[in-house]
Amino acid sequence: MNIIAQALSLIDLKIPTAVAVSGGVDSMCLLHALVQTARFLGQPLWVFHIHHDLQTDADTWQAHVCDAAQKLGAIFDMRRLDAATRELAQSVEDWARRGRYQALTELAQKHGVQQIVLAHHQDDQIETYLLQTQRGAGVRGQSAMPERMVRSGIHWLRPWLDVPKHIIIDYSKQHCIDYLNDPSNDDERFSRNAIRAQLARQPLSAAQ
């Protein structure tokens, strides 16, 4: 069993489950992998998409995810955030993260979904650790993202925290998965993007 299948084998899809899909390579691969198992078990799978109202291409992302869900036989639903609600002192990253989790929670409650699967992977985990360290977080903050947690009565799962990004890229090529590239990921004004770019330039020193 490969590392992707092994990670997902621990998810009980007999429990009402949704996968959060942005349209990028990570979540599109997660959707593709999960829907295969759900179909085999005869279980429904929901696809939740959050429209962040921050880019002109956001409608295209929504349409792409909706189309993919329909082709795979998954149930699509979405929420649109209102960028005008962001306070001036609040960073875009923090506003988007908080709004995204609230919207996903509301979607889960609407459909009776008990667990939401997220596509965070090993590279994301490393970036989160370095970001928290850079911000001066204590030991608890530096523990980064948990593989499983319960919030608002919903189980949040991150099965790919031990899966490197390059494995996911290989999976996308193997299965010819159509995904979109978010141009904002190249904007180093955002802290996480700056750390990601630094890791790409200095992978060996970052791992020490």
Side-chain angles (χ1 to χ4, degrees), residues 1 5-13 115 147-148 157 159:
M1 182 183 295
Q6 184 176 8
L8 297 182
S9 68
L10 301 177
I11 299 175
D12 184 1
L13 289 178
Q115 60 185 7
E147 184 177 14
R148 293 172 178 265
L157 312 179

Side-chain angles (χ1 to χ4, degrees), residues 5-112:
Q6 184 176 8
L8 297 182
S9 68
L10 301 177
I11 299 175
D12 184 1
L13 289 178
K14 294 179 181 179
I15 298 173
T17 303
V19 54
V21 181
S22 67
V25 62
D26 308 324
S27 60
M28 290 297 292
C29 286
L30 180 61
L31 168 60
H32 180 274
L34 279 176
V35 81
Q36 311 304 317
T37 303
R39 187 181 298 152
F40 176 78
L41 295 173
Q43 296 295 323
L45 182 69
W46 282 263
V47 173
F48 292 164
H49 174 76
I50 307 304
H51 186 306
H52 291 86
D53 194 30
L54 292 172
Q55 300 181 39
T56 56
D57 291 336
D59 290 343
T60 300
W61 284 69
Q62 176 187 322
H64 180 80
V65 175
C66 180
D67 183 62
Q70 291 176 345
K71 287 180 178 178
L72 291 170
I75 306 166
F76 176 82
D77 203 354
M78 57 81 64
R79 283 288 186 275
R80 180 170 186 151
L81 305 184
D82 183 0
T85 63
R86 182 173 71 89
E87 299 178 3
L88 292 178
Q90 188 178 24
S91 72
V92 173
E93 292 171 296
D94 182 58
W95 171 82
R97 180 179 59 81
R98 291 176 181 271
R100 182 165 57 250
Y101 276 102
Q102 178 60 37
L104 288 172
T105 298
E106 292 173 0
L107 285 170
Q109 293 171 342
K110 171 185 175 181
H111 293 287

